[in-house]
């Protein structure tokens, strides 16, 4: 019998009862149709899983008894932030989902010259909330107990100005250096361009800020494929798949 994992924002301690949030309660009651006594694994991002049991359903909430704290799946030893130029709809969701499954620690959505998605501040906040939900769902499915953060989108100039790009690698078809030949030491900022790629001016600006251009070989990958493929290469180099 499959044990379902459900995320909650609440603090969790063995021996307590909690009332789950509306989304999670609806999922348990209306989608999974579980009943009292069924076992659920809860997690809140603190690095642990919590074996729990459905006690009862209230009017609009599921009440669970938290029974014990469990060790969760080991996190990747490689600290990767994916700096992803914003792509349309499901393409961005796929990048977030697959990179979360692979163990990425953080996501920085990026506005660049050729990004086709242009959202005003209010809609960007809502879009970020959606992206964070995609990441949470990927953690529920993949067994991760640490939830990567999706940061608020930044313009490329803002991100470079923040000074976090020094350890950066930018994927660039045709670059002389192959990603598979890079030596990994410390946190990695992996920068992935939009569907039309970065402009020459943007590539020059990133080079001036210490980013190294690297390639994934002879094939040109779609933007939603490039980040998961590059993450897998980096983790293989670091021994994460061993």
């Amino acid at each position: 019998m499959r044990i379902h994992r459900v995320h909650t924002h609440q603090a969790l301690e063995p021996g307590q009862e909690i009332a789950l949030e509306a989304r999670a309660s609806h999922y348990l009651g209306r989608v999974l149709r579980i009943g009292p006594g069924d076992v659920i694994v809860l997690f809140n991002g603190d690095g642990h899983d919590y074996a729990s049991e459905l006690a009862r359903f209230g009017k609009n909430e599921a009440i669970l008894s938290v029974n014990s704290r469990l060790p969760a799946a080991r996190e990747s030893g490689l600290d990767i932030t994916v700096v992803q130029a914003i792509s349309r709809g499901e393409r961005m969701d796929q990048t977030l989902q697959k990179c979360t499954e692979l163990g990425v620690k953080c996501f920085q959505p990026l506005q660049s010259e050729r990004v086709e998605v242009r959202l005003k501040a209010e809609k960007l906040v809502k879009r970020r909330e959606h992206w964070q939900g995609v990441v949470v769902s990927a953690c529920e499915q993949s067994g991760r107990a640490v939830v990567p953060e999706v940061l608020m989108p930044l313009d490329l100039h803002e991100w470079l100005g923040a000074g976090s790009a020094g350890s950066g690698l930018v994927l660039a078809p045709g670059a002389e250096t192959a990603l598979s030949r890079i030596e990994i030491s410390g946190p990695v900022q992996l920068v992935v361009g939009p569907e039309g790629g970065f402009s020459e001016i943007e590539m020059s600006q990133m080079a001036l800020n210490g980013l190294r251009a690297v390639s994934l070989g002879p094939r040109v990958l779609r933007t939603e494929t490039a980040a998961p493929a590059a993450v897998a290469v980096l983790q293989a180099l670091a021994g994460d798949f061993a």
Side-chain angles (χ1 to χ4, degrees), residues 74-94:
R74 185 173 64 87
E75 284 290 301
S76 171
L78 193 57
D79 185 347
I80 302 177
T81 295
V82 170
V83 183
Q84 174 68 53
I86 298 171
S87 55
R88 289 185 178 276
E90 291 185 359
R91 295 177 181 176
M92 190 71 175
D93 290 0
Q94 288 171 10

Side-chain angles (χ1 to χ4, degrees), residues 121-162:
E122 193 173 300
K123 289 190 175 180
L124 273 177
V125 171
K126 292 182 179 179
R127 186 63 61 89
R128 180 204 163 274
E129 291 174 356
H130 165 77
W131 291 333
Q132 190 68 60
V134 171
V135 167
V136 167
S137 295
C139 288
E140 289 176 337
Q141 296 296 321
S142 64
R144 289 190 67 181
V146 175
V147 180
E149 183 179 6
V150 182
L151 302 173
M152 277 299 295
L154 291 177
D155 180 87
L156 176 61
H157 301 289
E158 292 177 315
W159 180 70
L160 290 174

Side-chain angles (χ1 to χ4, degrees), residues 170-238:
V170 55
L171 298 184
E176 293 182 4
T177 304
L179 180 61
S180 59
R181 296 180 180 176
I182 293 292
E183 292 186 9
I184 306 301
S185 61
V188 178
Q189 303 272 337
L190 179 66
V191 186
V192 184
E195 295 162 39
F198 290 115
S199 69
E200 290 185 11
I201 292 176
E202 289 173 326
M203 290 298 297
S204 296
Q205 290 171 335
M206 286 188 280
L208 288 172
N209 281 271
L211 277 86
R212 290 181 289 173
V214 294
S215 76
L216 284 170
R219 286 160 295 282
V220 178
L221 303 182
R222 294 171 65 101
T223 186
E224 67 270 26
T225 308
V231 169
V233 171
L234 289 171
Q235 290 180 326
L237 291 173

